């Protein structure tokens, strides 16, 4: 009301001004507002990160993370979601671990307000949904008080995620028509419970308790005392939707005792209701063939993702331990020279996705594109290399059948190539099988270094801990270098010691030979040297057990 009056007053003065001043005033005012918005006041996105599986974040949530200058994230928000952030974004851990709060809520509120007042776009990433036991309401109140604009991006809340991944429909026409989310941990200091136990216990509504593990026995006792049958089924779902999900089922009468015996801990949701019975029929997540298997992926970080996702698709818990880092060559001079004179080559040979990537990146740097390949014919080793070429509109002329360098030479030997010129953009440490073999066929081979592969300075601490604690079930090697580099990172004796009892999966015969040279027994090797085929043999290996 007050605002309307003020505006009317302003309009009245505006009418008194000479008409030629008005447009100028409007422009100045508009500009002032524009600069105020972009320079002085930031923006806050309160984003639900979902319950655990990083794939369960919303598209909008992901977009907001990518846009933010600052990401303030919680303990329950999956760390992988931070990979969507800009590389220059400020990442702040605002963690809370089951009551042992790293920061008080008011400090988090202050941090949000301060960052936004500096004109920054802040993504506040919270586990599950921000408005379900997430104190998102309080954070919003602080923003409103400070006059900071914000948006809420809802997330999949833990009860929904955990129930879905445990195979428990929260509602079902045959069992219940309602579901209730309840805190199992009322804020300390409350003398009288705010929970109406009587109402909760009556009827057959599904109940999902958050933060309730410490009070599990009181919760079950309260429900029984207030009228729920002691035989009502209960499921505890720990780390729901994550590969380490653990589910314990029982009844109101015995679940607390069972949980105590098994040392079942938070974070878990407690699902109470007849719908829990459906889990026997509907469970799907923890019945997948690699569920519970912990697999070490030793590929370079930028290549590990595809393989890790494949394994995770079968339920595996993957730990990435990069043994290779891919970097540009010391000098691009040799590659540049070849790229500028592509016309003189009869063949260009690609043996890896990295080779394709560096080749085309450099071509683009030189102001050229795929057309520079003109009449060159293309050979590609491996289906992934072909796919990488397809992204540049190129279909290879020659696809050697094997997945290694020997296959290339054998394929060329079938052709009449004496006197022809081949360009082979290679990794610095590539074996010389191709240049030597093709030279023996009378070809002239130019092999500039397109990228380097090196050993990281140290092994990832997480991976080392996992090996030392005998956490790993299976280690995967996707090239000889992954084997030799891991050996170098750990030392030969330590490698053998740490891999005792760990199944070894190797991508193909060359890699397997390197394993054996180092004293490792190879348990799995696919016929086709692709990560898809490697995944299949790992699945077959564990399914047959
Ligand atoms: N805002 C969050 C809840 C935060 S309260 C949401 O909407 O999900 C923290 C509680 O959520 C934990 O104590 C636990 O009860 C539950 N929780 C969060 N993530 C979980 C998960 N992956 N599996 C099981 N319970 C989870």
């Amino acid at each position: 009301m007050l605002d309307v009056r003020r505006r009317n007053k302003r309009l009245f003065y505006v009418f008194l001004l000479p008409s030629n001043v008005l447009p100028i005033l409007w422009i100045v005012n508009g500009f002032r507002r524009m600069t105020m918005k972009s320079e002085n006041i930031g923006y806050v996105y309160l984003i639900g990160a979902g319950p655990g599986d990083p794939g369960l974040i919303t598209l909008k949530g992901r977009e907001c993370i990518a846009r933010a200058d600052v990401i303030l994230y919680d303990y329950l928000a999956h760390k992988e979601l931070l990979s969507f952030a800009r590389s220059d974004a400020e990442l702040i851990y605002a963690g809370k671990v089951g009551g042992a709060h790293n920061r008080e809520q008011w400090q988090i509120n202050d941090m949000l307000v301060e960052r936004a007042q500096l004109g920054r776009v802040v993504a506040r990433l919270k586990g599950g949904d921000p408005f379900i036991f997430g104190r998102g309401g309080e954070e919003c109140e602080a923003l409103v008080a400070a006059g900071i604009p914000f948006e809420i991006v809802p997330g999949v809340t833990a009860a929904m995620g955990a129930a879905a991944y445990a195979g428990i429909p929260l509602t079902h026409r045959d069992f219940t028509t309602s579901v209730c989310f309840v805190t199992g941990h009322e804020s300390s200091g409350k003398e009288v419970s705010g929970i109406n136990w009587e109402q909760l216990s009556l009827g057959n509504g599904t109940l999902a308790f958050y933060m309730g593990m410490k009070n599990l026995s009181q919760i079950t006792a309260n429900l029984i005392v207030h009228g729920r049958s002691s035989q009502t089924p209960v499921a505890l779902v720990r780390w729901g939707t994550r590969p380490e999900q653990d589910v314990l089922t029982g009844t109101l009468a015995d679940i607390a005792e069972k949980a105590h015996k098994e040392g079942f801990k938070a974070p878990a949701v407690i699902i109470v209701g007849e719908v829990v019975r459906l889990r026997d029929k509907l469970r799907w997540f923890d019945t997948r063939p690699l569920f519970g298997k912990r697999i070490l992926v030793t590929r370079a970080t930028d290549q590990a993702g595809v393989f890790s996702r494949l394994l995770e698709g079968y339920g595996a818990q993957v730990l990435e331990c990069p043994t290779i880092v891919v970097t540009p060559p010391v000098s691009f001079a040799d590659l540049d020279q070849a790229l500028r004179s592509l016309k003189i080559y009869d063949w260009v040979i690609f043996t890896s996705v990295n080779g394709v990537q560096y080749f085309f990146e450099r071509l683009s740097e030189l102001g050229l594109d795929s057309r520079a390949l003109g009449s060159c014919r293309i050979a590609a080793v491996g289906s992934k290399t072909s796919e990488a070429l397809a992204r540049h509109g190129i279909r290879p002329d020659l696809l050697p059948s094997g997945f290694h360098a020997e296959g290339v030479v054998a394929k060329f030997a079938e052709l009449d190539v004496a006197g022809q010129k081949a360009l082979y953009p290679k990794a610095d440490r590539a074996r010389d099988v191709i240049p030597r073999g093709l030279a023996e066929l009378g070809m002239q081979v130019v092999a500039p270094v397109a990228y380097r592969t090196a050993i990281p300075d140290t092994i990832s601490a997480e991976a080392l801990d996992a090996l030392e604690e005998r956490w790993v079930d299976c280690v995967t090697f996707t090239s000889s270098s992954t084997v030799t580099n891991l050996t170098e990172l750990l030392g030969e004796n330590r490698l053998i010691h740490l891999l005792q009892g760990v199944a070894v999966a190797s991508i193909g015969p060359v890699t397997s030979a390197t394993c054996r040279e180092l004293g490792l027994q190879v348990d799995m090797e696919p016929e086709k040297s692709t990560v898809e085929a490697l995944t299949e043999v790992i699945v077959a290996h564990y399914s047959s057990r």
Side-chain angles (χ1 to χ4, degrees):
M1 194 62 191
L2 205 75
D3 275 357
V4 174
R5 246 185 273 146
R6 250 189 231 144
R7 209 176 55 213
N8 289 346
K9 214 169 176 184
R10 246 189 264 153
L11 279 175
F12 173 73
Y13 291 128
V14 161
F15 281 120
L16 294 182
L17 288 169
S19 63
N20 54 350
V21 180
L22 276 180
I24 299 172
L25 263 183
W26 269 318
I27 290 169
V28 170
N29 203 28
F31 184 70
R32 192 177 63 90
R33 263 197 253 132
M34 244 171 60
T35 49
M36 242 182 68
K37 230 184 196 162
S38 62
E39 278 178 27
N40 298 330
I41 300 254
Y43 205 86
V44 175
Y45 295 108
L46 216 65
I47 306 166
D53 178 346
L56 291 177
I57 192 162
T58 61
L59 285 177
K60 185 162 182 184
R62 183 179 163 162
E63 278 164 19
C64 296
I65 296 174
R67 207 175 295 153
D69 302 309
V70 184
I71 321 263
L72 207 70
Y73 62 99
D74 269 359
Y75 166 61
L76 286 171
H78 200 290
K79 304 291 168 293
E80 208 173 296
L81 298 175
L82 298 177
S83 66
F84 301 135
R86 285 191 342 238
S87 57
D88 62 339
E90 182 188 5
L91 306 180
I92 306 172
Y93 178 57
K96 291 179 175 190
V97 186
H101 294 194
N102 287 11
R103 292 176 209 267
E104 296 293 334
Q105 185 62 46
W106 65 265
Q107 290 175 308
I108 296 173
N109 297 355
D110 281 0
M111 232 185 316
L112 280 177
V113 170
E114 277 163 22
R115 292 294 194 290
Q117 276 171 341
L118 289 171
R120 323 277 295 272
V121 174
V122 185
R124 172 73 176 112
L125 198 55
K126 299 170 79 71
D129 178 84
F131 276 3
I132 305 264
F133 306 124
R135 305 192 71 171
E138 288 156 72
E139 293 178 15
C140 280
E141 283 174 317
L143 296 173
V144 171
I148 290 157
F150 62 88
E151 262 174 64
I152 318 286
V153 183
V156 174
T157 190
M160 284 164 61
Y165 279 52
I168 302 171
L170 287 174
T171 68
H172 188 291
R173 289 157 68 107
D174 297 342
F175 298 97
T176 178
T177 50
S178 69
V179 56
C180 188
F181 297 161
V182 191
T183 175
H185 170 87
E186 286 189 273
S187 74
S188 44
K190 264 194 182 172
E191 281 180 13
V192 183
S193 171
I195 298 174
N196 186 335
W197 289 102
E198 206 152 38
Q199 215 165 45
L200 281 184
S201 308
L202 292 175
N204 58 4
T206 306
L207 308 174
F209 288 89
Y210 289 65
M211 303 168 281
M213 286 309 295
K214 270 199 195 129
N215 297 335
L216 181 60
S217 50
Q218 285 100 300
I219 292 171
T220 50
N222 268 332
L223 291 171
I224 296 171
V225 165
H226 288 91
R228 266 294 160 114
S229 155
S230 62
Q231 292 315 301
T232 309
V234 181
L236 309 179
V237 186
R238 178 171 199 258
W239 285 128
T241 77
R242 298 196 183 217
E244 57 267 47
Q245 174 174 299
D246 197 3
V247 181
L248 184 67
T249 53
T251 61
L252 279 179
D254 65 15
I255 194 73
E257 175 75 21
K258 274 185 165 177
H260 179 70
K261 264 198 197 137
E262 300 218 359
F264 200 96
K265 293 204 177 71
V269 280
I270 304 162
I271 305 173
V272 180
E274 294 301 320
V275 284
V276 169
R277 294 189 197 284
L278 288 161
R279 171 171 158 78
D280 286 342
K281 212 181 340 172
L282 303 183
R283 62 190 280 196
W284 59 274
F285 181 67
D286 44 10
T287 49
R288 293 173 308 161
L290 297 183
F291 185 81
K293 294 287 166 282
R294 293 137 165 197
I295 300 181
L296 201 67
V297 167
T298 55
R299 297 192 112 183
T301 307
D302 56 342
Q303 288 191 319
V306 177
F307 187 30
S308 301
R309 295 299 91 74
L310 279 170
L311 294 167
E312 282 169 357
Y314 286 101
Q317 200 171 337
V318 176
L319 181 60
E320 289 181 8
C321 167
T323 55
I324 298 175
V325 281
V326 180
T327 56
V330 180
S331 157
F332 275 115
D334 291 346
L335 182 64
D336 285 358
Q337 196 184 349
L339 293 176
R340 286 200 180 94
S341 53
L342 278 173
K343 277 195 196 79
I344 66 168
Y345 293 98
D346 301 289
W347 287 96
V348 183
I349 303 162
F350 293 100
T351 54
S352 70
V353 174
N354 281 323
V356 174
Q357 194 180 321
Y358 275 87
F359 180 95
F360 282 96
E361 267 173 28
R362 200 59 203 164
L363 201 62
S364 169
E365 285 280 315
L366 298 181
L368 299 165
D369 59 32
S370 306
R371 287 170 300 175
L373 282 163
S375 56
C376 301
R377 275 181 291 167
I378 309 288
V381 178
S383 47
K384 290 285 172 267
T385 311
S386 295
E387 283 166 25
L389 283 166
R391 289 195 280 277
H392 296 277
I394 287 167
R395 209 186 299 171
D397 304 276
L398 195 70
L399 288 163
S401 49
F403 284 85
H404 36 83
E406 285 78 358
V408 177
V409 179
K411 196 81 185 173
F412 273 96
E414 292 170 13
L415 309 173
D416 183 14
V417 287
Q420 292 191 354
K421 264 192 130 182
L423 174 65
Y424 166 43
K426 61 166 194 173
D428 60 337
R429 300 201 296 175
R431 296 180 301 146
D432 65 353
V433 176
I434 291 179
R436 205 161 25 89
L438 296 187
E440 276 167 19
L441 297 176
M443 289 183 94
Q444 239 181 301
V445 186
V446 174
V449 173
Y451 63 98
R452 283 185 301 156
T453 58
I455 305 182
D457 294 336
T458 53
I459 186 170
S460 108
E462 207 186 338
L464 188 57
D465 284 352
L467 285 168
E468 279 176 344
E469 285 164 21
R470 305 275 158 206
W471 181 91
V472 178
D473 295 298
C474 170
V475 59
T476 60
F477 294 115
T478 42
S479 67
S480 282
S481 335
T482 58
V483 190
T484 49
N485 291 7
L486 186 65
T487 313
E488 203 155 310
L489 284 165
L490 289 172
E492 205 168 323
N493 289 339
R494 200 148 163 240
L495 174 91
I496 301 293
H497 170 68
L498 291 178
L499 293 189
Q500 250 166 27
V502 176
V504 173
S506 147
I507 198 158
V510 179
T511 306
S512 298
T514 312
C515 287
R516 290 189 194 104
E517 272 163 32
L518 288 160
L520 293 174
Q521 184 196 317
V522 176
D523 302 283
M524 291 158 256
E525 183 197 294
E527 275 178 21
K528 215 172 153 193
S529 297
T530 62
V531 287
E532 286 80 2
L534 183 56
T535 306
E536 293 302 327
V537 290
I538 296 173
V539 169
H541 176 86
Y542 286 108
S543 304
S544 68
R545 297 183 138 209

